[in-house]
Amino acid sequence: MKLVRLIANLGYGNRKEVTRLFREGRVTDPAGEVLYADDRAVHAEIRIDGEPLDPPTGLVLLMHKPTGYTCSRKDAGRLVYDLLPPRWRRRDPALSTVGRLDRDTSGLLLLTDDGALLHRIISPRANVAKVYEATLARDLHGGEGELFESGTLMLESETTPLAPAHLQVLEPRRARLTVTEGRYHQVRRMFAAAGNHVETLERVAIGRLTLDGLASGAWRALAAEEVARVFEPPPLP
Ligand code: URA
């Protein structure tokens, strides 16, 4: 790929702006030698104003989503993209959230510019486990586990029952729920169907991947072997 396009696709500017970066001698190799738009150079060997380029495409980010942020590009209010460097919003291919968490849900969120990977994770056929911890308005009555595991629970206005989901009771009003689908407001609606109300909801794992101490609002790029953990079943309680 031509250098101007490679750099423009990373969000550093449109082609005209990136061409100007070359003319101003701001694009160099690691030794500070000026690169020209027609030069050949690999991603890792390019500097802009002395700084390494942003990560190449094929990026997978792990984010600890705080409550109050929306998984959307254009909603009013705070967006999860606001937590990333502003330039990253102009990347092509674009970074997208892998599924969504509600504005009032916190926890583990993945973002990627790899469309095939994204579909592999969210496809219902992939059976990827999403693990949530919920605090509830009322004590659990004891029948929820069987209801969620049954494979027959039908949520309002849906036409197919939910796949079996696994409930682990942590406290009378706290539970961990593992689901393999990603239906709209699924966890909140499941507890509502069981006569309860979710007060707080956090996603704690996807497959075997956890936040592992990542602070609220923070994010980091994942290595390929960390991404692979998404497809492993979470450890049994
Ligand atoms: N289920 C919900 O109800 N909300 C989320 O954000 C994720 C799963």
Side-chain angles (χ1 to χ4, degrees):
M1 190 188 298
K2 294 263 168 54
L3 287 186
V4 171
R5 182 154 158 232
L6 184 149
I7 293 171
N9 284 356
L10 292 174
Y12 285 85
N14 58 29
R15 281 168 187 242
K16 203 166 145 196
E17 289 161 340
V18 173
T19 303
R20 195 178 317 131
L21 291 179
F22 278 97
R23 268 203 238 109
E24 290 169 352
R26 293 165 64 189
V27 187
T28 64
D29 71 8
E33 284 292 318
V34 169
L35 292 174
Y36 296 92
D38 290 335
D39 284 342
R40 284 175 176 273
V42 292
H43 189 108
E45 301 285 297
I46 303 170
R47 302 286 180 270
I48 296 187
D49 296 332
E51 297 292 327
L53 280 188
D54 291 342
T57 54
L59 188 56
V60 185
L61 300 179
L62 170 71
M63 178 183 279
H64 185 163
K65 178 193 172 297
T67 57
Y69 285 77
T70 308
C71 291
S72 154
R73 273 182 223 292
K74 49 181 191 296
D75 268 24
R78 289 175 293 179
L79 311 177
V80 291
Y81 298 97
D82 297 341
L83 297 166
L84 300 173
R87 185 162 66 224
W88 288 24
R89 268 209 222 201
R90 300 191 295 267
R91 287 173 67 106
D92 179 13
L95 276 171
S96 305
T97 63
V98 179
R100 287 180 172 216
L101 291 178
D102 303 336
R103 189 167 58 93
D104 295 330
T105 302
S106 62
L108 192 162
L109 179 69
L110 295 174
L111 297 103
T112 187
D113 58 9
D114 181 340
L117 174 72
L118 188 151
H119 288 294
R120 215 148 62 80
I121 298 173
I122 65 173
S123 157
R125 267 179 293 155
N127 248 358
V128 168
K130 274 92 48 176
V131 187
Y132 294 88
E133 284 189 11
T135 57
L136 303 159
R138 285 177 278 285
D139 285 3
L140 290 150
H141 51 63
E144 298 88 350
E146 201 177 319
L147 177 69
F148 295 164
E149 203 86 54
S150 69
T152 59
L153 176 60
M154 189 79 94
L155 295 178
E156 227 176 274
S157 73
E158 302 254 343
T159 52
T160 52
L162 291 177
H166 182 72
L167 184 79
Q168 184 195 359
V169 177
L170 302 173
E171 291 170 24
R173 293 189 184 188
R174 252 172 76 73
R176 185 173 295 153
L177 180 62
T178 303
V179 302
T180 55
E181 299 168 289
R183 303 202 200 183
Y184 181 67
H185 291 335
Q186 181 170 338
V187 175
R188 292 174 200 276
R189 290 163 74 210
M190 286 173 75
F191 280 106
N196 215 320
H197 174 77
V198 169
E199 291 199 322
T200 70
L201 186 61
E202 180 180 14
R203 181 155 65 192
V204 296
I206 298 183
R208 241 172 219 278
L209 183 71
T210 63
L211 285 167
D212 201 17
L214 190 69
S216 176
W219 53 269
R220 66 180 179 84
L222 290 179
E225 56 274 20
E226 294 179 295
V227 176
R229 276 187 222 147
V230 162
F231 298 100
E232 295 171 16
L236 289 172

